[in-house]
Amino acid sequence: MSHQPDDPDDSVQRISTSLQHTALAHPTRQRLLFALSGGPSTISRLAARLGVNKGSVSHHLGALREAGLIQEAGTRQVRGGTERYYRRTAERLVVAQPRAEGTAALFGAVAQELERSPVGHLLTLRHIRLSPAKAAKLAKALAELVDGAEEEPDGEPVHGLLVTLYQQAGT
């Protein structure tokens, strides 16, 4: 996938093609992208991490690769064959015009991740009345909080963070 000319670097990939949207419209593919955010991995390791069979992982990696969202990241000789490593093509994906099926798959993937979490989690939904100006101010504050979160060194557990602010239809 080619990057938009205004991308500052290769860490951001803009989602724009039908093939990319289709690839993102499955919870397992979303979870594979989550898992690969920590670095390259093999089909066997991804299958164990996600709790799905290797054939399914292979199939979904193929769809992600065809869409340009992942790529091969080298091989390693092991007993009985060669292991292929896969990595994301960019650290962050930006979906400028989300589609319902991709959003549903994302939420489905997050629900599966919550179910498998080894520790308790926070899940809150609140509906509040806000003026457009206050909604914009809250959105900015949330974005700053998320973007400003300082990462710990490798070896610490990875935590998922999903933040959304939306206006209900018809209000």
Side-chain angles (χ1 to χ4, degrees):
M1 147 110 200
S2 63
H3 296 275
Q4 299 289 332
D6 59 342
D7 283 347
D9 56 43
D10 287 344
S11 68
V12 177
Q13 185 171 11
R14 301 203 181 278
I15 303 304
S16 59
T17 70
S18 290
L19 193 59
Q20 291 170 327
H21 282 285
T22 299
L24 293 175
H26 196 286
T28 300
R29 293 181 197 141
Q30 295 273 355
R31 293 183 66 216
L32 285 166
L33 289 170
F34 298 165
L36 289 170
S37 67
S41 192
T42 65
I43 289 173
S44 296
R45 289 181 185 166
L46 290 166
R49 182 169 177 181
L50 273 60
V52 298
N53 68 53
K54 291 192 286 187
S56 179
V57 169
S58 179
H59 167 76
H60 290 299
L61 286 175
L64 290 169
R65 186 173 176 198
E66 186 179 339
L69 301 176
I70 66 163
Q71 61 190 14
E72 283 192 28
T75 59
R76 183 176 74 128
Q77 293 302 120
V78 294
R79 289 179 295 169
T82 302
E83 278 188 322
R84 292 195 192 300
Y85 283 78
Y86 297 89
R87 71 174 184 84
R88 291 171 59 138
T89 53
E91 288 178 34
R92 292 179 49 203
L93 303 177
V94 174
V95 183
Q97 296 179 332
R99 295 184 181 174
E101 61 272 13
T103 302
L106 173 65
F107 287 139
V110 170
Q112 290 174 20
E113 293 287 310
L114 287 173
E115 188 175 301
R116 293 179 51 88
S117 177
V119 297
H121 56 270
L122 170 66
L123 176 62
T124 302
L125 173 62
R126 181 175 174 205
H127 292 99
I128 56 178
R129 294 186 186 281
L130 296 172
S131 68
K134 285 189 178 177
K137 184 177 178 181
L138 179 57
K140 182 180 178 189
L142 290 169
E144 288 173 356
L145 180 64
V146 171
D147 291 343
E150 206 170 298
E151 288 215 38
E152 297 287 330
D154 284 346
E156 294 297 329
V158 175
H159 291 77
L161 179 62
L162 173 67
V163 177
T164 184
L165 177 66
Y166 62 94
Q167 182 177 332
Q168 285 185 310
T171 61

